[in-house]
Amino acid sequence: MELKFSTWQEVDTYLEKSGGIIIPIGSTEQHGPNGLIGTDALCPESLAIEIGKQTAALIAPTISVGMAQHHLGFAGSITLRPSTLILVIQDMVNSLVQHGFESFYFLNGHGGNISTVHAAFSEIYAQASMGQSPTDQSKVRCKLANWWEAKGVMKLSSDLFGDADGSHATCGEVSLTQYAYPHSIKNVAMDPPIAPDGPIYDAADFRKRFPDGRMGSNPALANPEAGEQLFKLAVKGLAEDFHKFSA
Ligand code: NI
């Protein structure tokens, strides 16, 4: 059940049975020569929508822009500063707490969000601990789940792609979007086949180290069939994890 296609009465009824909600969170950033700029938002969103179809889980609107400062050297990338993203997450949680939501499951598609999302959770708990919550937040629980860490997914990616999976514009995430959005598949040759890997600093440094935007990957190997396998496995693992978390 998606929040945007629900009425407030339906949300009231949902809250009688569950205080859990899945909030997809991603990024709008370059993903190399054949990866969509929306990849990191489209992956958790498509997975969440399927989880919402298969189970009774309520799915919030996707936070589609994340912390992606290091990608700003490439056209079309958008970032929120960490401090802005923390406020966005706090405001979303504080809004939904008013109605009785308690368990906030952030389904994440972007490694660059991880530290900031955890900092936002600490801010939310600090509000309660210091007696500064706008409402009673003693029952609020937040969890970050990275889709690529769902049960079995990393092993499957490694079986499918080995070292060519890489760490940004990975074969796995490009495959997932190719399965979920087959009309947006791009066929582009990669040069070199496997991209360089290395540390992340600012945007100008990133562009120098990773000229076409990929890190350690060869997403020319991505394919929708692999994406389907990854998608189904991730949905199963994440749905189980959400229900355990929100029970
Ligand atoms: Ni990505």
Side-chain angles (χ1 to χ4, degrees):
M1 172 173 161
E2 285 184 70
L3 186 66
K4 64 174 175 266
F5 297 123
S6 307
T7 65
W8 69 264
Q9 290 95 336
E10 287 169 335
V11 177
D12 262 353
T13 305
Y14 175 88
L15 281 162
E16 287 167 14
K17 288 174 294 181
S18 173
I21 187 162
I22 298 178
I23 305 176
I25 179 166
S27 183
T28 298
E29 65 183 48
Q30 68 80 20
H31 268 74
N34 73 339
L36 310 178
I37 287 177
T39 298
D40 286 357
L42 295 171
C43 289
E45 180 173 84
S46 58
L47 292 165
I49 290 170
E50 184 60 24
I51 293 167
K53 276 186 202 155
Q54 290 185 14
T55 72
L58 185 63
I59 312 301
T62 302
I63 303 174
S64 294
V65 179
M67 212 307 287
Q69 62 79 19
H70 46 295
H71 293 291
L72 289 186
F74 297 87
S77 298
I78 305 173
T79 193
L80 299 179
R81 283 173 291 171
S83 51
T84 311
L85 183 56
I86 288 170
L87 292 175
V88 169
I89 291 169
Q90 270 188 292
D91 285 358
M92 278 185 78
V93 168
N94 287 340
S95 300
L96 292 165
V97 165
Q98 305 283 329
H99 315 130
F101 287 96
E102 295 173 344
S103 304
F104 298 87
Y105 190 86
F106 287 80
L107 177 47
N108 182 39
H110 174 48
N113 284 341
I114 295 172
S115 320
T116 303
V117 173
H118 282 137
F121 293 171
S122 295
E123 289 284 355
I124 290 162
Y125 298 136
Q127 274 183 309
S129 300
M130 298 167 86
Q132 295 169 343
S133 298
T135 48
D136 176 18
Q137 296 202 349
S138 57
K139 290 182 182 157
V140 170
R141 298 291 178 264
C142 300
K143 178 166 182 170
L144 177 73
N146 301 313
W147 76 260
W148 63 92
E149 290 178 345
K151 196 174 171 196
V153 168
M154 278 184 146
K155 162 116 186 19
L156 177 58
S157 289
S158 152
D159 291 348
L160 289 165
F161 305 114
D163 287 343
D165 196 35
S167 56
H168 177 65
T170 66
C171 301
E173 63 183 344
V174 174
S175 295
L176 201 82
T177 58
Q178 289 185 346
Y179 168 64
Y181 303 95
H183 299 299
S184 298
I185 294 176
K186 329 259 181 196
N187 291 307
V188 184
M190 301 289 157
D191 180 28
I194 300 232
D197 218 333
I200 295 173
Y201 300 110
D202 68 353
D205 181 81
F206 189 102
R207 177 98 197 214
K208 245 182 271 164
R209 288 175 190 274
F210 315 110
D212 71 5
R214 299 173 291 146
M215 295 177 70
S217 63
N218 179 9
L221 302 174
N223 62 86
E225 294 76 23
E228 180 174 14
Q229 290 183 54
L230 290 164
F231 187 91
K232 289 182 171 162
L233 195 59
V235 164
K236 184 169 182 288
L238 293 164
E240 285 170 9
D241 190 51
F242 170 68
H243 286 285
K244 220 183 285 168
F245 168 70
S246 61

